[in-house]
Amino acid sequence: MLTKEASPPLYTALIGCGHWGPNYLRVIQQLLGVEMRWAADLSPSRRESLSRQFPQVKMTDQVSDIWDDPAVQAVIVATPAASHPELVEAALKAGKHVLCEKPLTISPAESDALVALAAEKQRILMVGHTFLFNTGIRQLKTYLSEKKLGQLYYLHSTRTNLGPIRSDVGAIEDLASHDIAIFNYLLAALPEEVSARGHSCLPHAHTDLAFMTFAYPGGVLAHVHVSWLNPVKVRQMTLVGSEKMVTWDDINVVEPIRIFDAGVMQEPYYHDFGQYQLLPKQGDTWIPRLQLSEPLKAEVEAFVAAIQTQSPPLSDGAFGADVVRVLEATRQSLAAGGAPVKIASA
Ligand SMILES: NC(=O)c1ccc[n+]([C@@H]2O[C@H](COP(=O)([O-])OP(=O)(O)OC[C@H]3O[C@@H](n4cnc5c(N)ncnc54)[C@H](O)[C@@H]3O)[C@@H](O)[C@H]2O)c1
């Protein structure tokens, strides 16, 4: 938690005030020791609407106002993904620390170039993989670290809704970027291979429905279903291990996690002691009490802490670049009709 002693304030600026960007204005207003000095957007109506809500923040349509303000130490980029490379590069070259929304870029080469530039300029580059700061996901990570589930067999994630439909990227980049980030974090690894099938059901150039299977080291399979064409908003994940099974439901804000003492037992056949039968075991179900907090607030706090300590945050540029690498391999598999595609490490 930031305290009043964190002075002088860390001045930040926001680029992109569409659907998501204003959440940063709201969250930073709640944090001590951090102030939003500028907010930039190309749209006059977005600037006008936000200047009424946040009169203390200077609105501009010129990002050069931010680059030229020496008081601004850190920039948050919340524009569509295609504009990330140019804006992040300019921010780093202006000497600013950067928190860029996901996905960091569309192509892995662009991400790698930004990671190298941040290292050269000795600036923090963080990617807004919000779910790494979600209390429920953190709890799943603890269970895996403590081997509470036994041997992990597989993970499954569903991330569907009716829209919102983006015009710059498809559902894979928009939605599966979250699941890939969560899997990479939980398993502390990149998948070795992906195979993906999907469709563009709507009349646009992007994939709006996809089913993806990622093969992680140790034979762990992770399956994801993303869709912009689903009647129900679902944000659910299941982890299945040899000892326990866990579900996480991001939409259940009171009790997001359930732990099932479920599995399969080996019982001896009574007529032949040399053989065993496999029997389902359905024990108790627990609902742990979690102290839920806003993930975006925790993410911004981690960004500020990384700047203050000059140490890489959890979702640093390299982590974000790995997610982009997995997205690229997923697109290649999709284009090859689901053929497995190896994922190159950095
Ligand atoms: N972490 C999350 O959970 C989460 C959730 C939603 C969106 N996002 C990400 O946030 C980013 C923005 O998404 P959105 O839904 O707000 O998009 P949006 O299209 O609603 O808003 C983008 C805004 O950026 C502005 N803009 C574009 N180029 C600009 C430039 N060069 N300079 C200044 N302003 C510019 C546009 O005018 C628009 O107002 C995307 O990368 C998206 O993936 C993340």
Side-chain angles (χ1 to χ4, degrees):
M1 212 45 179
L2 297 167
T3 61
K4 275 192 188 302
E5 288 83 59
S7 62
L10 178 88
Y11 287 110
T12 60
L14 171 70
I15 305 175
C17 305
H19 289 103
W20 187 243
N23 288 314
Y24 284 103
L25 290 167
R26 176 179 55 76
V27 156
I28 284 185
Q29 211 174 30
Q30 297 166 9
L31 292 177
L32 294 167
V34 194
E35 280 182 30
M36 191 66 88
R37 200 167 159 93
W38 292 94
D41 202 290
L42 300 176
S43 153
S45 64
R46 294 306 300 150
R47 294 197 305 275
E48 213 258 312
S49 142
L50 288 169
S51 64
R52 273 184 272 117
Q53 283 181 63
F54 301 95
Q56 75 285 10
V57 179
K58 297 192 254 189
M59 298 286 159
T60 181
D61 61 346
Q62 299 293 321
V63 284
S64 57
D65 286 338
I66 295 167
W67 314 151
D68 295 344
D69 184 345
V72 173
Q73 287 176 261
V75 171
I76 296 167
V77 176
T79 56
S83 61
H84 292 175
E86 187 188 336
L87 291 169
V88 174
E89 182 185 342
L92 290 170
K93 284 185 171 166
K96 317 294 185 192
H97 302 285
V98 180
L99 167 54
C100 177
E101 258 312 327
K102 59 84 204 167
L104 176 55
T105 62
I106 294 173
S107 91
E110 289 169 331
S111 282
D112 289 343
L114 294 179
V115 171
L117 182 62
E120 182 199 321
K121 299 286 178 192
Q122 299 186 344
R123 300 290 92 177
I124 297 293
L125 173 58
M126 180 171 174
V127 185
H129 287 298
T130 341
F131 285 95
L132 271 56
F133 303 91
N134 178 295
T135 312
I137 296 296
R138 290 284 181 100
Q139 192 63 37
L140 296 182
K141 176 79 176 171
T142 303
Y143 293 155
L144 291 179
S145 307
E146 292 171 348
K147 304 254 178 263
K148 199 175 175 96
L149 313 191
Q151 182 196 344
L152 183 65
Y153 292 141
Y154 77 89
L155 307 90
H156 171 72
S157 182
T158 307
R159 195 173 292 273
T160 60
N161 198 10
L162 198 55
I165 294 150
R166 305 190 69 92
S167 57
D168 58 324
V169 290
I172 289 180
E173 294 81 2
D174 185 35
L175 300 178
S177 54
H178 288 306
D179 303 292
I180 294 164
I182 294 171
F183 293 158
N184 290 0
Y185 166 64
L186 290 180
L187 303 176
L190 282 192
E192 293 164 336
E193 197 175 84
V194 56
S195 86
R197 296 298 303 261
H199 272 314
S200 184
C201 305
L202 301 171
H204 62 175
H206 300 298
T207 303
D208 33 49
L209 159 75
F211 300 94
M212 293 150 270
T213 306
F214 301 99
Y216 279 84
V220 177
L221 288 181
H223 184 258
V224 188
H225 168 204
V226 294
S227 178
W228 283 333
L229 268 181
N230 200 283
V232 186
K233 178 169 181 171
V234 182
R235 301 283 187 264
Q236 285 175 359
M237 199 169 273
T238 304
L239 281 68
V240 172
S242 57
E243 303 294 323
K244 300 268 185 304
M245 303 180 186
V246 182
T247 57
W248 169 73
D249 183 351
D250 194 37
I251 291 173
N252 185 340
V253 291
V254 183
E255 297 171 341
I257 287 186
R258 270 159 216 264
I259 309 167
F260 298 82
D261 183 19
V264 169
M265 297 178 300
Q266 281 195 344
E267 286 284 315
Y269 281 112
Y270 293 109
H271 59 274
D272 180 350
F273 290 106
Q275 289 189 348
Y276 291 86
Q277 56 183 337
L278 297 175
L279 293 176
K281 175 193 74 171
Q282 186 75 58
D284 291 339
T285 303
W286 297 281
I287 303 174
R289 178 114 355 250
L290 300 181
Q291 285 294 330
L292 296 177
S293 55
E294 184 172 356
L296 192 69
K297 194 169 169 189
E299 178 192 303
V300 174
E301 285 179 327
F303 180 48
V304 173
I307 293 169
Q308 288 170 343
T309 60
Q310 275 300 297
S311 48
L314 197 55
S315 56
D316 65 359
F319 182 95
D322 278 342
V323 172
V324 172
R325 234 178 294 290
V326 178
L327 289 170
E328 167 85 348
T330 306
R331 280 192 297 271
Q332 287 170 2
S333 174
L334 208 78
V341 170
K342 298 267 178 232
I343 293 162
S345 56

